[in-house]
Amino acid sequence: MSGPDGGRVLMLSHGFGCDQNMWRFVAPHFEADHRVVLFDHVGAGHAEALYDPDRYATLDGYADDVVRICEELDLRDVVFVGHSVSSMIGVLAHLRAPDRITALALVSPSPRYVNDEGYTGGFEREDIDEMLTALSSNYLGWSSAMAPVIVGNAERPELGDELTQSFCRADPDIAERFARATFLSDNRADLPRVTAPTLVMQCRDDLIAPMEVGQHVADAIPDSVLVVLDATGHCPNLSAPDEVIGALEPFLAGLGG
């Protein structure tokens, strides 16, 4: 935690294969007047010893952890900023504790990665099954191949290298289970139940969560606004932090308090 005790709480939550270090270009900007809370999901960073495969078989276990952090630290009026899968973890946590998590900022969100009738998720089920099989049989090889695709920005290979290294630090068995919980999830029905003001940040070119997905999220959440970032890839908090900051600032200002 950093920033003043009395500042509005800004909880930053990382995506699959990452840890809280992925927020290092965004978090410092808000530390002057916000109470910034960073954490690693169980199974990521230095939190592997706490992993329970049954508890974390779905995103519900991760959402429960977010609520527990808020309760243990007595955090209220929390703006939850979730990247990628953490966007839906934040939605679930808000639905569990709407009195604590009172605003959401969703970076590259996807409520369902698999295409469905009338819904574009970006992948066919066969694509996801093949990805999970590759991840299970050769995790390091999968990481080296997929990380540059996920982060995009081919002209900046150092970003893909960083994400590859982040993936490779993870326990392969835990990563496979988290991938299943992520890519086989379907949280579309949860979106209309959100009562918090919500900012949806969508990259203009994202192979993991295409434009149709961000639009779906914004359309489904009643009190939401969609901002298309001038950024490519799935990790704008790493590749285009100024764009993320630029979208967050007016959203936070509009919350008042």
Side-chain angles (χ1 to χ4, degrees):
M1 293 191 293
S2 59
D5 289 338
R8 182 190 293 274
V9 178
L10 201 61
M11 179 181 281
L12 305 176
S13 183
H14 65 82
F16 169 79
C18 305
D19 58 26
Q20 61 184 267
N21 189 52
M22 290 294 170
W23 291 108
R24 69 186 185 276
F25 298 129
V26 175
H29 183 84
F30 296 99
E31 290 173 347
D33 51 7
H34 287 78
R35 187 65 165 164
V36 178
V37 178
L38 294 162
F39 69 98
D40 294 329
H41 285 297
V42 169
H46 301 288
E48 291 180 355
L50 301 172
Y51 187 81
D52 179 328
D54 292 328
R55 175 176 174 79
Y56 300 104
T58 69
L59 301 185
D60 293 297
Y62 298 97
D64 288 340
D65 284 351
V66 171
V67 175
R68 289 176 65 186
I69 291 172
C70 292
E71 291 174 345
E72 289 292 329
L73 300 178
D74 195 24
L75 303 177
R76 298 183 182 276
D77 200 20
V78 175
V79 180
F80 183 92
V81 185
H83 169 235
S84 192
V85 65
S86 272
S87 292
M88 293 306 112
I89 292 171
V91 165
L92 294 174
H94 158 71
L95 294 177
R96 285 161 169 74
D99 57 325
R100 292 185 181 273
I101 300 173
T102 57
L104 296 170
L106 312 179
V107 184
S108 306
S110 178
R112 177 183 167 102
Y113 293 87
V114 179
N115 298 330
D116 197 7
E117 184 177 353
Y119 172 80
T120 300
F123 300 89
E124 297 298 333
R125 177 59 191 257
E126 295 78 13
D127 299 328
I128 297 296
D129 289 341
E130 288 178 5
M131 181 191 70
L132 293 173
T133 298
L135 189 155
S136 177
S137 62
N138 182 7
Y139 179 66
L140 294 182
W142 177 89
S143 299
S144 298
M146 281 300 297
V149 174
I150 292 171
V151 79
N153 294 270
E155 74 284 0
R156 299 167 64 189
E158 69 276 7
L159 298 179
D161 291 344
E162 177 174 341
L163 193 60
T164 299
Q165 292 169 16
S166 179
F167 282 4
C168 291
R169 285 195 295 270
D171 179 290
D173 290 335
I174 294 175
E176 179 190 353
R177 293 189 180 101
F178 193 15
R180 290 186 180 278
T182 298
F183 291 107
L184 298 179
S185 62
D186 186 351
N187 296 104
R188 290 175 294 173
D190 297 305
L191 301 180
R193 299 166 53 210
V194 171
T195 58
T198 301
L199 170 66
V200 179
M201 286 173 272
Q202 169 70 43
C203 291
R204 56 180 167 79
D205 184 9
D206 182 349
L207 292 177
I208 305 300
M211 189 72 71
E212 295 91 337
V213 176
Q215 188 66 60
H216 176 91
V217 174
D219 289 343
I221 295 177
D223 185 11
S224 66
V225 60
L226 173 65
V227 173
V228 177
L229 306 179
D230 185 18
T232 61
H234 192 60
C235 304
N237 46 342
L238 183 63
S239 63
D242 289 343
E243 288 288 318
V244 174
I245 291 168
L248 270 173
E249 282 185 324
F251 175 70
L252 294 173
L255 296 176

